[in-house]
């Protein structure tokens, strides 16, 4: 067994090595969780591999999206003692030899690959992100066009920071309320009469009114199913920073049920927003029933749509498990109540993509346009696309 005999003092050392690998994969493993892990191993013993994995998973994994990464790393450590010894040796200063990295998730592959400097020395994990921030122009260009789902843990964290800096200037529309202006199309009759009363019935100029300009109200619907796991978090971080300061901004998560994320978006810090959103969404990385979620939106939150002026951004890959007829009816209602219904689809990264799935076909038929949101370059082009689409009659 990889953890070794506790009587020989190898248990805590190997647990610490395993925790370092989990942290490099993006799991928040701190000292308190490590203490619980050591206690859990003592309680369940090391006779059964399944019991040991379940005990460690219970105390070391706190987010649903990290469970698959934990299981792959656990299998890599406990699959073969020789392979596990090589993986552990990568994290030791006197390491010799190198194991072949697994070919599953990028986060797992990067966690098991030891970062090295030009001299071959190991780099501390906390310095990796700082070095990536000073990358060359070619590396930055590669990341701009890299799919969010193909990124390693450190690249994903860096791209999340870069996405928060991408602007999204939404077009401004004429508001219903009026304000004074020299070139307005409508005369300000009350003010005209007051001015005329002060000058014996004569008026040298005609005061006018013009409509105020306001940013289009925004309604964001984000699919948080398992297939959208890698995209949802990054797009939430992007929209939180890009739409800060909007007067009307409502955000909902679509899964097996509808979850409102507007209070989480009110938090000024992006990390606090993501933590609050993760705590609010109970079905993160689960299934998707878009029709049921939109029906709940219609029944309880219809007033969030401001009189056919709202811009609706529906972020999903269209892989729905609900009834397609119910989805089509709810999408038609949503389209009638909004100015534009835009489908932001990460599957557009494939050149030959066709919305052939039942949910995707319903979304394609009901939406005004389908836009790609699979990499940083597509997010940078999103603002221009929105302005062009909202300018159409």
């Amino acid at each position: 067994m990889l953890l070794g005999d506790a009587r020989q003092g190898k248990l805590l050392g190997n647990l610490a090595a395993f925790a370092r690998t989990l942290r490099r994969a993006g799991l928040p493993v701190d000292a308190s969780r490590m203490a619980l892990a050591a206690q859990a191993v003592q309680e369940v013993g090391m006779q059964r591999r399944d019991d040991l994995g379940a005990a460690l998973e219970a105390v070391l994994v706190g987010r649903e999206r990290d469970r698959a990464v934990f299981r792959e790393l656990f299998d890599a450590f406990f699959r073969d003692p020789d392979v596990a010894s090589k993986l552990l040796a990568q994290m030791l200063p006197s390491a010799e030899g190198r194991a072949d990295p697994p070919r599953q998730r990028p986060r797992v592959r990067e966690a098991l690959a030891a970062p090295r400097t030009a001299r071959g020395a190991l780099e501390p994990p906390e310095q990796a992100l700082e070095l990536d921030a000073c990358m060359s122009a070619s590396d930055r260009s590669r990341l701009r066009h890299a799919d969010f789902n193909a990124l390693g843990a450190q690249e994903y964290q860096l791209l999340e920071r870069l996405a928060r800096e991408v602007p999204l200037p939404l077009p401004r529309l004429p508001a219903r309320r009026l304000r004074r202006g020299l070139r307005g199309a409508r005369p300000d009759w009350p003010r005209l009469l007051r001015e005329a009363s002060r000058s014996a019935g004569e008026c040298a100029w005609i005061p006018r009114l013009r409509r105020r300009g306001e940013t289009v109200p925004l309604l964001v619907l984000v699919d948080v199913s398992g297939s959208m796991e890698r995209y949802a978090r990054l797009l939430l971080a992007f929209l939180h920073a890009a739409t800060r300061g909007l007067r009307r901004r409502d955000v909902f998560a679509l899964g097996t049920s509808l979850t409102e994320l507007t209070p989480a978006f009110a938090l000024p810090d992006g990390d606090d927003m993501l933590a609050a959103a993760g705590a609010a969404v109970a079905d993160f990385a689960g299934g998707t029933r878009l029709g049921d979620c939109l029906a709940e939106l219609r029944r309880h939150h219809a007033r969030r749509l401001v009189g056919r002026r709202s811009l609706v951004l529906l972020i999903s890959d269209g892989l729905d498990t609900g009834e397609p007829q119910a989805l089509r009816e709810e999408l038609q209602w949503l389209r009638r109540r909004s100015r534009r219904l835009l489908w932001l689809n990460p599957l557009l990264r494939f050149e030959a993509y066709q919305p052939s799935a039942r949910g995707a076909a319903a979304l394609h038929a009901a939406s005004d346009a389908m836009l790609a949101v699979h990499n940083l370059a597509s997010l940078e082009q999103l603002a221009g696309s929105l302005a062009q689409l909202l300018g159409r009659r």
Side-chain angles (χ1 to χ4, degrees):
M1 179 61 68
L2 170 63
L3 291 177
D5 191 350
R7 294 171 298 180
Q8 299 178 4
K10 297 180 180 180
L11 175 61
L12 294 180
N14 290 328
L15 271 179
F18 184 49
R20 288 198 297 270
T21 307
L22 293 177
R23 282 195 292 268
R24 290 169 65 181
L27 276 70
V29 179
D30 53 12
S32 61
R33 289 185 181 271
M34 282 303 303
L36 290 175
Q39 184 178 356
V41 173
Q42 296 289 348
E43 292 291 338
V44 302
M46 294 179 290
Q47 287 76 23
R48 293 179 54 86
R49 179 175 177 271
D50 295 339
D51 293 343
L52 178 62
L56 291 178
E57 181 180 351
V59 298
L60 295 179
V61 179
R63 302 178 299 192
E64 181 63 30
R65 62 178 180 269
D66 294 332
R67 293 191 182 278
V69 176
F70 173 87
R71 289 164 186 164
E72 290 186 15
L73 287 174
F74 181 83
D75 290 339
F77 267 74
F78 291 90
R79 178 179 52 200
D80 187 343
D82 295 334
V83 174
S85 299
K86 293 180 180 179
L87 293 175
L88 282 177
Q90 292 183 10
M91 295 176 290
L92 299 176
S94 59
E96 294 182 2
R98 185 173 182 177
D100 295 331
R103 296 182 180 180
Q104 292 89 4
R105 297 172 181 265
R107 293 171 62 186
V108 177
R109 183 171 60 250
E110 184 171 342
L112 297 177
R116 296 179 179 273
T117 61
R119 298 181 180 179
L122 290 174
E123 294 178 351
E126 58 270 11
Q127 295 181 2
L129 190 60
E130 180 180 355
L131 295 176
D132 286 344
C134 303
M135 60 184 140
S136 63
S138 60
D139 292 336
R140 185 176 293 271
S141 177
R142 179 184 61 82
L143 276 183
R144 285 185 67 251
H145 296 88
D147 192 306
F148 296 152
N149 201 34
L151 298 174
Q154 296 175 357
E155 290 177 333
Y156 188 87
Q157 293 175 6
L158 175 60
L159 208 60
E160 183 180 310
R161 289 170 44 190
L162 295 178
R164 297 179 185 182
E165 301 175 1
V166 177
L168 184 64
L170 295 177
R172 296 179 64 85
L173 302 175
R176 294 180 178 179
R177 294 188 178 184
L178 303 175
R179 61 182 302 179
R180 296 176 181 176
L182 297 178
R183 299 181 180 180
R186 179 177 175 180
D188 186 357
W189 294 113
R191 189 180 180 190
L192 177 62
L193 294 177
R194 289 195 301 269
E195 294 292 338
S197 64
R198 296 172 184 171
S199 56
E202 297 182 0
C203 187
W205 62 287
I206 299 178
R208 296 185 176 275
L209 295 175
R210 63 182 179 90
R211 291 189 180 276
R212 297 179 178 179
E214 67 176 7
T215 307
V216 57
L218 186 63
L219 174 63
V220 180
L221 305 174
V222 184
D223 185 350
V224 294
S225 61
S227 59
M228 288 288 297
E229 176 185 358
R230 296 281 285 175
Y231 300 97
R233 174 183 172 89
L234 201 145
L235 290 173
L236 285 175
F238 159 68
L239 291 172
H240 175 262
T243 61
R244 184 181 291 115
L246 291 184
R247 189 173 66 89
R248 289 296 299 268
R249 177 185 62 175
D250 298 295
V251 186
F252 292 87
L254 307 179
T256 56
S257 60
L258 185 72
T259 304
E260 184 175 4
L261 300 182
T262 305
F265 262 60
L267 299 174
D269 184 73
D271 293 332
D272 293 341
M273 180 276 299
L274 290 174
V281 179
D283 54 352
F284 189 86
T288 312
R289 292 198 295 267
L290 297 179
D292 296 345
C293 293
L294 294 180
E296 187 176 351
L297 178 71
R298 173 176 53 83
R299 290 192 298 265
H300 303 291
H301 306 283
R303 298 185 65 180
R304 304 296 180 92
L305 296 168
V306 185
R308 296 202 63 184
R309 299 173 62 85
S310 297
L311 170 64
V312 180
L313 302 181
L314 202 160
I315 306 172
S316 175
D317 53 8
L319 303 180
D320 184 38
T321 59
E323 291 296 329
Q325 181 60 31
L327 177 59
R328 284 193 289 267
E329 294 175 357
E330 298 302 334
L331 286 173
Q332 290 299 327
W333 169 83
L334 185 61
R335 185 176 183 180
R336 290 194 301 267
R337 295 292 300 269
S338 59
R339 182 180 180 89
R340 288 289 187 273
L341 171 58
L342 303 182
W343 179 20
L344 308 186
N345 186 2
L347 292 184
L348 286 180
R349 65 185 184 272
F350 301 113
E351 296 182 0
Y353 170 76
Q354 294 293 333
S356 56
R358 296 185 304 176
L363 284 170
H364 182 68
S367 60
D368 293 292
M370 180 170 55
L371 303 176
V373 285
H374 61 282
N375 56 22
L376 192 62
S378 63
L379 297 185
E380 295 172 350
Q381 299 171 2
L382 186 59
S385 302
L386 293 182
Q388 182 180 2
L389 291 170
L390 288 178
R392 296 178 183 175
R393 293 187 178 180

